[in-house]
Structures are given as structure tokens and as C-alpha cells.
């Protein structure tokens, strides 16, 4: 099987939510799943609110739903949305 490139959007629950803390929690979850490389970018939404966009590789044979559930349980994350997935390698 190959590897899929996954892009997910994380909406913080408020302007006061620390995107850096959310990013650390995302990285911890990805590291526990043996996903060594991830990248992050911030996307302006409105009125100073920014979303965090995470991009990472994911084995095609593994389901994403359990990972999304773990992400949605991160403190100060209001929503998690899968915005892109495509075959990267394989």
C-alpha cells in the first residue's frame, strides 16, 4: 500500500486559544501513530481568528476516522475538517 497526503483544518474554540499548544497536541498524536513528518500553516478566517492547517502522510490501509476523533478531543479545538487527501507515494 501507499501513503496518502492528508490536509486537515483545525478551528480553535476562541481567539484566546493558543495555536501553538494545539499544534503540539497534534504532533503528539501523530508521533504516537508513527507519523514522523508534519507541517503546519495558519489560515486567517475572520475578525482575527485563525485556523491551523496540518499536512501529514498517512498509510492508505489505515482508517482516518479514529485519528479525527482523537484530534477533535484536543482541548480548545472547536472542529476538525478533512480538506484534502490524495495518494502521495505508492
Amino acid at each position: 500500500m501507499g501513503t496518502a497526503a492528508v490536509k486537515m483544518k483545525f478551528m480553535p474554540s476562541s481567539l484566546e486559544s493558543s495555536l501553538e499548544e494545539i499544534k503540539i497536541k497534534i504532533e503528539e498524536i501523530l508521533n504516537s501513530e508513527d507519523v514522523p513528518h508534519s507541517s503546519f500553516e495558519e489560515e486567517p478566517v475572520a475578525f482575527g481568528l485563525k485556523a491551523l492547517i496540518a499536512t501529514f502522510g498517512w498509510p492508505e490501509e489505515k482508517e482516518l476516522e479514529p485519528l479525527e476523533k482523537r484530534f477533535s478531543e484536543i482541548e480548545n479545538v472547536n472542529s476538525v475538517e478533512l480538506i484534502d487527501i490524495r495518494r502521495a507515494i505508492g
Side-chain angles (χ1 to χ4, degrees):
M1 283 294 196
T3 300
V6 177
K7 189 180 266 192
M8 298 183 112
K9 180 187 279 189
F10 296 80
M11 289 298 297
S13 52
S14 72
L15 283 170
E16 291 78 32
S17 299
S18 169
L19 293 182
E20 194 59 38
E21 287 179 17
I22 293 171
K23 182 168 51 169
I24 290 168
K25 295 292 185 188
I26 294 167
E27 287 177 325
E28 286 174 2
I29 291 170
L30 290 174
N31 287 336
S32 75
E33 295 286 341
D34 294 325
V35 177
H37 302 293
S38 54
S39 65
F40 297 91
E41 55 188 274
E42 294 180 10
E43 179 181 275
V45 177
F47 306 107
L49 185 65
K50 294 180 183 177
L52 188 62
I53 308 296
T55 305
F56 55 91
W58 189 252
E60 287 182 337
E61 65 273 7
K62 289 179 78 174
E63 290 190 34
L64 267 173
E65 278 187 39
L67 183 68
E68 287 181 84
K69 181 170 177 21
R70 288 181 66 190
F71 284 153
S72 67
E73 294 170 350
I74 296 174
E75 186 176 349
N76 295 319
V77 169
N78 187 45
S79 67
V80 179
E81 176 185 1
L82 176 65
I83 55 176
D84 191 28
I85 184 167
R86 60 186 70 202
R87 178 172 276 173
I89 303 168

